[in-house]
Amino acid sequence: DAKTTQPNSMESNEEEPVHLPCNHSTISGTDYIHWYRQLPSQGPEYVIHGLTSNVNNRMASLAIAEDRKSSTLILHRATLRDAAVYYCILRDNFNKFYFGSGTKLNVKP
Amino acid sequence: DAGVIQSPRHEVTEMGQEVTLRCKPISGHDYLFWYRQTMMRGLELLIYFNNNVPIDDSGMPEDRFSAKMPNASFSTLKIQPSEPRDSAVYFCASSFWGNNQPQHFGDGTRLSIL
């Protein structure tokens, strides 16, 4: 019962910004929005998370819509190493994660 | 800092055999999660523990699957008897309490049942 919807794939040019969208229209007031990425043959890796306000860290930025029904992960300058599957996930009060199908990001040199 | 450690990294065995996957979570983490990943179904949560106690095992596919956490630093996922459709990558993850806490994943065990 995935609670998030993401495009199956996206493509970007190296050193350009990338905006990865996610819809979560059934989000509850206490669900946190987490983003993970998974490189080939590795486990998912934490990228960023937020509740209501936009968030920045060294890896990315997270923009959350005012109604919280959607969010966007922003990679400011994509590199070839950013090619991965990106998952937008909700974590509820019971500490369960709901993984969707993710967006496969392809970065072109 | 050691991350989540899973063993073995790869396992190939014949149908009907017992399979045991192992996980050492990050020290101090309250929660431990077991996931299965396949091309068809993506990442699925199988079971998770809080302070060594199973909280939700609704994702465990069948009675052939069982998981234990005898102490805070060790967990096992067992399949007995194994079947070819159990072939997948199995991930273990751990985290602190709180829905603002990230999960830290191991590198997974790639299981092939012949």
Side-chain angles (χ1 to χ4, degrees):
Chain A
D1 51 347
K3 295 184 175 181
T4 62
T5 305
Q6 300 176 252
N8 288 335
S9 63
M10 292 185 65
E11 200 164 73
S12 170
N13 294 318
E14 197 175 10
E15 299 194 4
E16 290 186 356
V18 182
H19 291 234
L20 298 166
C22 180
N23 287 321
H24 27 79
S25 58
T26 60
I27 191 170
S28 71
T30 54
D31 287 351
Y32 271 79
I33 302 159
H34 291 249
W35 282 81
Y36 282 69
R37 70 181 186 181
Q38 187 174 21
L39 280 67
S41 301
Q42 293 187 24
E45 172 191 29
Y46 168 77
V47 176
I48 200 167
H49 75 275
L51 183 62
T52 57
S53 303
N54 295 344
V55 184
N56 300 297
N57 66 20
R58 64 175 178 81
M59 289 181 71
S61 296
L62 176 59
I64 302 172
E66 196 169 332
D67 63 5
R68 299 209 328 126
K69 293 186 176 182
S70 65
S71 61
T72 302
L73 179 71
I74 303 165
L75 306 179
H76 295 287
R77 289 179 70 235
T79 70
L80 296 178
R81 289 176 297 177
D82 292 323
V85 178
Y86 286 79
Y87 293 98
C88 166
I89 305 151
L90 302 184
R91 187 169 190 179
D92 65 15
N93 275 341
F94 299 100
N95 290 287
K96 286 181 71 169
F97 270 27
Y98 296 92
F99 277 84
S101 54
T103 297
K104 185 174 183 179
L105 176 65
N106 181 36
V107 180
K108 297 186 294 182
Chain B
D1 265 352
V4 174
I5 299 172
Q6 292 186 245
S7 64
R9 287 297 312 276
H10 303 273
E11 175 90 11
V12 181
T13 191
E14 293 191 347
M15 182 175 64
Q17 297 296 308
E18 178 179 291
V19 174
T20 300
L21 311 181
R22 297 172 175 80
C23 176
K24 178 179 169 56
I26 291 174
S27 178
H29 279 183
D30 308 288
Y31 281 82
L32 184 138
F33 304 80
W34 281 101
Y35 291 87
R36 178 173 68 175
Q37 186 172 37
T38 60
M39 289 293 291
M40 290 294 293
R41 300 174 67 91
L43 266 165
E44 302 175 278
L45 176 65
L46 300 177
I47 185 171
Y48 72 99
F49 296 82
N50 178 25
N51 292 325
N52 313 337
V53 176
I55 302 301
D56 186 340
D57 64 355
S58 59
M60 297 285 262
E62 299 172 34
D63 291 345
R64 299 184 295 106
F65 286 69
S66 62
K68 294 182 180 179
M69 192 165 184
N71 57 62
S73 59
F74 184 65
S75 176
T76 59
L77 178 68
K78 189 172 292 187
I79 308 172
Q80 168 62 20
S82 58
E83 296 183 5
R85 59 194 168 124
D86 303 330
S87 298
V89 182
Y90 291 81
F91 290 103
C92 175
S94 68
S95 78
F96 289 114
W97 178 90
N99 60 355
N100 63 341
Q101 297 296 316
Q103 288 188 4
H104 299 262
F105 283 76
D107 288 332
T109 295
R110 183 173 294 275
L111 178 63
S112 297
I113 309 296
L114 306 178

